[in-house]
Amino acid sequence: SRKTNPAAAIADLRKSGVKKVVMLTGDNESVASRVAEQVRIDTYHAGLLPAQKVEKLEAILGAKSTGNVAFVGDGINDAPVLTRSDVGIAMGALGSDAAIEAADVVLMDDRLAKIPVAIRIARKTMRIVIENITFSLVVKIAVMVLGALGIADMKLAVFGDVGVLILAILNSLRAMRVQIGRASCRERV
């Protein structure tokens, strides 16, 4: 199925705007090569110890031109890299406590397909936050100006406070619906 297919998850990551996928692994060269080919990973580095993973990540961070660098891991060996990356994502179901503690995001499922979903949820949430802040500021400034001119009364001031809060909460409920594939459904990450 598409949900459990790592190659499909990598393709979904690319559709979400991920430009380059690099695998840093402690596994040997032959395993890493086979996995990288099967799931269509751009670059891989095999046989790495935790300190070497950090060195490779530092090189990636130093070479990046735009955007952020996310690292996905689940083991205790990944904790230093999760901490150092711009966004650390721990795969929580089988993740070690150290990886979960070091990560910025913890997915309670070990399916890579959840990462593009989490990206879509984060982007939609940020859009909604910006909408709510903008709407609240515009209404509050308008009410303040109308109040200073003597046009606004107490009812309008209450709407400017409580009404905007209620509208912002209702607008925030849209974050619960995220487009997954063609259908829109609620998804827990």
Side-chain angles (χ1 to χ4, degrees):
S1 100
R2 186 162 175 83
K3 286 188 174 184
T4 59
N5 182 351
I10 299 296
D12 284 347
L13 278 172
R14 293 184 196 285
K15 287 179 192 172
S16 295
V18 173
K19 292 178 179 39
K20 187 172 183 180
V21 179
V22 178
M23 180 171 64
L24 306 177
T25 182
D27 292 334
N28 66 42
E29 176 71 26
S30 65
V31 171
S33 173
R34 189 170 57 249
V35 169
E37 184 179 320
Q38 287 175 352
V39 300
R40 296 178 190 96
I41 290 176
D42 300 317
T43 308
Y44 70 91
H45 302 280
L48 300 176
L49 298 172
Q52 293 169 316
K53 286 182 181 181
V54 173
E55 289 173 12
K56 293 290 184 186
L57 181 71
E58 291 288 344
I60 292 168
L61 287 167
K64 74 176 184 177
S65 57
T66 60
N68 292 318
V69 175
F71 182 84
V72 180
D74 64 355
I76 194 165
N77 294 337
D78 295 326
V81 189
L82 287 165
T83 301
R84 179 59 190 102
S85 62
D86 293 328
V87 179
I89 303 171
M91 302 301 273
L94 296 176
S96 74
D97 289 342
I100 291 170
E101 194 67 33
D104 299 306
V105 177
V106 178
L107 301 179
M108 298 311 292
D109 193 330
D110 288 326
R111 292 184 295 162
L112 288 175
K114 295 291 186 166
I115 297 170
V117 173
I119 291 171
R120 286 193 287 276
I121 290 170
R123 286 182 178 154
K124 185 168 188 173
T125 301
M126 283 306 299
R127 279 194 309 271
I128 291 170
V129 166
I130 291 168
E131 288 171 4
N132 285 344
I133 291 171
T134 304
F135 176 70
S136 297
L137 289 175
V138 166
V139 170
K140 289 183 183 271
I141 290 170
V143 169
M144 219 168 44
V145 168
L146 292 174
L149 296 173
I151 300 171
D153 60 358
M154 186 57 96
K155 291 177 191 172
L156 190 57
V158 168
F159 171 76
D161 188 36
V162 178
V164 170
L165 171 70
I166 292 170
L167 291 175
I169 291 169
L170 292 174
N171 188 38
S172 297
L173 292 175
R174 293 184 15 233
M176 295 177 65
R177 298 187 58 81
V178 175
Q179 196 74 16
I180 301 171
R182 292 183 185 186
S184 178
C185 65
R186 290 184 181 182
E187 182 72 25
R188 286 190 177 175
V189 179

